[in-house]
Amino acid sequence: MRLIVIVINLIGYAVRTIESRKVRTAYPTFALLLYLSAPVTSADVSINGLSGEAKKNVQLTLSLAKEQCQTPEWKIRGLFNKADDEIYRALRALGYYNPAVKKSLVFDSKCWQAEFTIERGPQTIVSGVDITLNGDARDDPEFQKLRNSLLAEKGKALRHDQYEKMKSRLEALAMERGYLDAAFSEKELLVDKANNTAQVKLVFNTGKRKVFGAVTVEQNILNSELVDRFISIKRGDFYSSEQLAKTHAALSKSGYFGRIDIVPDTGNSREGQVPVGIKLYPGKRHHYSFGIGYDTDKGPLFNAAYINRLVNRRGHFIDANIDITPVLSTADAEYNVPLDDPANDFFSVGAGFKREDVSVYRSKAAKLSARLKHTFDSGWKQTLFIDSLYEDFTIGSTSNQVYLLVPGGSWLRSVADSTMRPTRGYRLELNLAGSYKNPISEVSFAQGSISAVWTHPMPWRGRFIARGEQGATLVDQFDKLPTTYRFFAGGMNSVRGYAFRHLGPKDNSGNVIGGKLLSVVSVEYEHYLFDDWGVAAFIDSGNAYNPGNIRLKTGVGVGVRWYSPIGPIRLDVAMPLSEADSSFQIHFAAGTRL
């Protein structure tokens, strides 16, 4: 931008000069414009004899390589003279202490060229590692494990970054485990250039391991007894940065607090005790959200959600959600109560309403429920429930109104390397439910299902996705079993190429009525073309069916993937390979599958 302004100003000056003084000053102005607009050319700096990391390190270290043809000769010669020291320093970092360098520098009328021919010589080997731990860390199992790991560097090639990493790992572990006064009394890297060997000597004095002192909490949001249950820091326990992080994560995950400050007062530790101050600030109590979208299985959709995160000082909270589409609409609300471990355990009571208008059936259902939720340390999420359900449904030529009391449980485990754009991970879900015929439950049945999704990166910017689902139901009166508990197949997240829930056993009139069993498998390959765009190819197979009458339906297709700021968006075109109502289906959906 500066160059453009200068040129414009000079042009204006030249025009004025021509008008007042004829043309005699126009030529110097034109020459100056040519000089300013001439492209900056880079000089040629050749590095021969090296490859890989050694060559790259020299290129990054060599000051001469950053200069242009226009750089004054005196500066180029000065940098050329100091190039030897820079090359030696770059190679020493990788363990090459005896390189041989030949160099040349040539100037011509247009530019200059420098050439370096380098023999890096033998790489220095770490012939010995001596690590001494003084203080309480001498008997600390974690320090013993780390020390044994570092001693294994003996016999490996010397790298200065690895030597620095050895020291950093000792210091980091000391801070993590409460050795707050730890320091090196000796840290030496002794290199024998003649024999190309090196000795590492470290003496690490940790002193006594600190413990947590008094923990003071400043807040006026929840009952203090509830807040204390989020805090894993206990007075007298060994100081641990892991426990500090765990406490912060638990308080943050709770949703009650807008800001969390945890400050260990290491400067005022007395008798080995470190006091900790925690200050909590209130978060937003009421949360509202609205959304619109489109799903090829369900049509246009509207969503609204509400959360009251803090009903009272006991931490009770309410969440409610409404989803409206032409095919499937739901409304539910839940009142949640934190239990003894408020970060992982909740009890809730709720109510919900569901309306379905699929072309193969219509249903209206109302439900009251009680749930006990627990998150295990392993990451598994468990929900035990009992539902009281009323459903009015019409399917095929059958209409029924049914009351059910359904206890059950679900277990979910989801692991992904990214929440928005996962390339590696899996999702596993198990569901069990059932009912026994009694005065408040009209049908006896037992049902179980398991579903899994697995994704793994492939070479050349690819990703493989496998999906499977298996379900089974035992029931005494299938015609009275509500559609909520029948199996159907077909649609975006089932067997693509077939309409939503249009696959399953049929009655004598040819109407799909759902089945007792479900089997679905899918394999898919995605390939990234650009940073945010990709393509996919897939094959799905499966169906809902009854025992002894399985007829798998298969669909194949291709798709486009857009990795938007709100998550992946998928558009698929699928063809059925078996008998179907149409020759192809277009499927559209958003969100990750893990």
Side-chain angles (χ1 to χ4, degrees):
M1 210 52 182
R2 184 179 302 169
L3 177 61
I4 294 173
V5 172
I6 291 172
V7 171
I8 292 172
N9 288 339
L10 285 171
I11 291 173
Y13 175 77
V15 171
R16 290 194 299 273
T17 303
I18 291 171
E19 291 175 348
S20 60
R21 301 183 184 179
K22 309 300 181 185
V23 297
R24 60 185 176 184
T25 58
Y27 296 104
T29 304
F30 179 68
L32 184 57
L33 286 172
L34 287 177
Y35 174 77
L36 287 173
S37 61
V40 176
T41 56
S42 300
D44 181 19
V45 178
S46 300
I47 299 172
N48 304 315
L50 297 179
S51 61
E53 194 174 19
K55 184 173 184 178
K56 184 178 180 181
N57 215 36
V58 169
Q59 289 172 330
L60 292 173
T61 308
L62 205 58
S63 302
L64 191 64
K66 303 176 179 67
E67 299 301 324
Q68 310 295 330
C69 287
Q70 291 81 3
T71 303
E73 182 176 340
W74 62 266
K75 184 177 181 181
I76 296 299
R77 292 193 181 278
L79 295 176
F80 181 73
N81 290 335
K82 82 172 201 176
D84 297 75
D85 290 339
E86 292 178 336
I87 292 171
Y88 293 150
R89 187 169 68 251
L91 292 176
R92 280 199 300 269
L94 301 176
Y96 301 102
Y97 272 76
N98 292 294
V101 180
K102 294 179 181 180
K103 61 181 184 175
S104 64
L105 177 64
V106 177
F107 287 87
D108 58 30
S109 59
K110 295 183 180 180
C111 196
W112 54 270
Q113 296 86 34
E115 183 175 359
F116 298 90
T117 301
I118 305 169
E119 295 181 10
R120 62 190 181 185
Q123 194 168 18
T124 301
I125 301 300
V126 178
S127 60
V129 179
D130 183 10
I131 300 176
T132 302
L133 299 173
N134 294 324
D136 288 357
R138 185 189 299 113
D139 301 318
D140 189 322
E142 291 300 316
F143 264 96
Q144 291 300 319
K145 185 190 302 182
L146 176 58
R147 181 177 180 273
N148 291 335
S149 173
L150 299 179
L151 291 177
E153 292 295 314
K154 180 180 178 180
K156 296 182 180 180
L158 172 65
R159 291 178 59 106
H160 285 212
D161 58 345
Q162 290 298 322
Y163 169 66
E164 295 299 328
K165 188 176 179 180
M166 292 171 72
K167 295 186 293 182
S168 297
R169 290 177 66 185
L170 287 166
E171 290 172 330
L173 185 60
M175 290 300 296
E176 179 184 326
R177 295 185 62 77
Y179 301 95
L180 304 183
D181 299 326
F184 289 101
S185 59
E186 291 185 53
K187 44 183 178 179
E188 294 180 325
L189 177 59
L190 306 173
V191 178
D192 184 351
K193 293 177 62 176
N195 295 308
N196 296 303
T197 60
Q199 295 272 345
V200 175
K201 184 176 182 181
L202 300 174
V203 179
F204 196 47
N205 298 325
T206 63
K208 287 191 169 295
R209 188 177 181 185
K210 307 289 186 180
V211 298
F212 286 118
V215 180
T216 57
V217 180
E218 184 180 343
Q219 62 93 27
N220 189 29
I221 304 164
L222 300 172
N223 291 339
S224 58
E225 297 83 1
L226 177 59
V227 174
D228 289 344
R229 297 206 296 270
F230 285 103
I231 298 173
S232 58
I233 304 167
K234 304 301 179 185
R235 183 170 188 167
D237 287 352
F238 282 124
Y239 182 98
S240 167
S241 58
E242 180 182 353
Q243 291 302 317
L244 293 171
K246 184 178 179 180
T247 295
H248 189 282
L251 291 168
S252 178
K253 180 183 172 184
S254 72
Y256 299 119
F257 312 109
R259 177 179 158 194
I260 302 161
D261 293 337
I262 301 179
V263 182
D265 193 357
T266 56
N268 288 322
S269 61
R270 295 180 179 178
E271 298 179 354
Q273 296 189 356
V274 180
V276 178
I278 301 175
K279 191 169 184 179
L280 305 175
Y281 300 84
K284 188 177 180 180
R285 176 175 292 189
H286 301 283
H287 299 260
Y288 304 89
S289 66
F290 302 91
I292 58 174
Y294 184 81
D295 186 302
T296 47
D297 288 342
K298 303 170 187 174
L301 58 90
F302 169 78
N303 169 264
Y306 166 72
I307 299 177
N308 181 343
R309 194 61 212 179
L310 191 62
V311 174
N312 52 43
R313 291 179 62 88
R314 291 173 291 172
H316 298 186
F317 62 95
I318 296 172
D319 57 73
N321 190 79
I322 296 176
D323 287 304
I324 299 175
T325 76
V327 173
L328 173 63
S329 297
T330 61
D332 56 77
E334 199 168 25
Y335 188 92
N336 301 269
V337 179
L339 301 178
D340 288 341
D341 181 0
N344 297 306
D345 293 330
F346 298 91
F347 173 76
S348 69
V349 292
F353 175 80
K354 180 177 70 171
R355 179 193 64 81
E356 288 188 271
D357 191 359
V358 186
S359 61
V360 298
Y361 67 85
R362 294 188 305 276
S363 168
K364 294 180 181 179
K367 179 173 67 175
L368 298 175
S369 64
R371 280 168 161 67
L372 186 62
K373 305 173 186 178
H374 175 69
T375 300
F376 294 94
D377 292 339
S378 62
W380 279 94
K381 295 181 179 180
Q382 172 184 270
T383 301
L384 304 178
F385 61 85
I386 183 165
D387 292 338
S388 177
L389 175 79
Y390 167 77
E391 185 164 339
D392 181 349
F393 63 94
T394 298
I395 185 167
S397 58
T398 302
S399 294
N400 262 314
Q401 299 84 40
V402 177
Y403 290 92
L404 290 175
L405 185 66
V406 183
S410 67
W411 294 263
L412 172 66
R413 171 78 162 141
S414 181
V415 176
D417 57 358
S418 170
T419 55
M420 296 294 289
R421 191 172 173 175
T423 59
R424 186 191 305 269
Y426 65 88
R427 175 188 174 92
L428 185 62
E429 184 173 6
L430 173 66
N431 294 284
L432 297 174
S435 180
Y436 185 74
K437 190 173 182 179
N438 58 68
I440 57 174
S441 193
E442 300 179 42
V443 180
S444 292
F445 78 96
Q447 185 175 88
S449 67
I450 184 170
S451 61
V453 179
W454 179 73
T455 180
H456 191 78
M458 301 289 286
W460 306 295
R461 304 185 69 186
R463 180 167 77 122
F464 176 78
I465 304 166
R467 172 170 54 88
E469 186 175 5
Q470 183 66 51
T473 306
L474 295 174
V475 60
D476 59 350
Q477 295 175 279
F478 185 79
D479 60 332
K480 297 191 70 175
L481 185 68
T483 56
T484 297
Y485 297 102
R486 299 189 187 193
F487 289 120
F488 299 87
M492 181 65 175
N493 297 308
S494 181
V495 182
R496 286 166 286 189
Y498 302 86
F500 180 60
R501 296 189 178 179
H502 273 53
L503 295 182
K506 298 179 179 180
D507 62 13
N508 294 331
S509 301
N511 301 307
V512 176
I513 58 172
K516 300 177 182 179
L517 300 170
L518 174 70
S519 298
V520 174
V521 293
S522 170
V523 292
E524 181 173 331
Y525 175 77
E526 287 185 2
H527 188 82
Y528 307 110
L529 297 177
F530 310 103
D531 288 342
D532 296 325
W533 289 90
V535 293
F538 56 84
I539 178 169
D540 301 341
S541 187
N543 207 342
Y545 55 97
N546 290 323
N549 190 26
I550 181 171
R551 295 180 181 178
L552 295 181
K553 301 283 189 175
T554 301
V556 298
V558 294
V560 176
R561 303 290 181 261
W562 176 39
Y563 307 98
S564 73
I566 61 171
I569 292 177
R570 297 175 282 152
L571 177 63
D572 292 336
V573 179
M575 293 175 50
L577 299 185
S578 308
E579 182 183 352
D581 295 335
S582 63
S583 59
F584 71 94
Q585 288 282 329
I586 296 175
H587 303 282
F588 176 85
T592 66
R593 285 172 277 188
L594 297 183

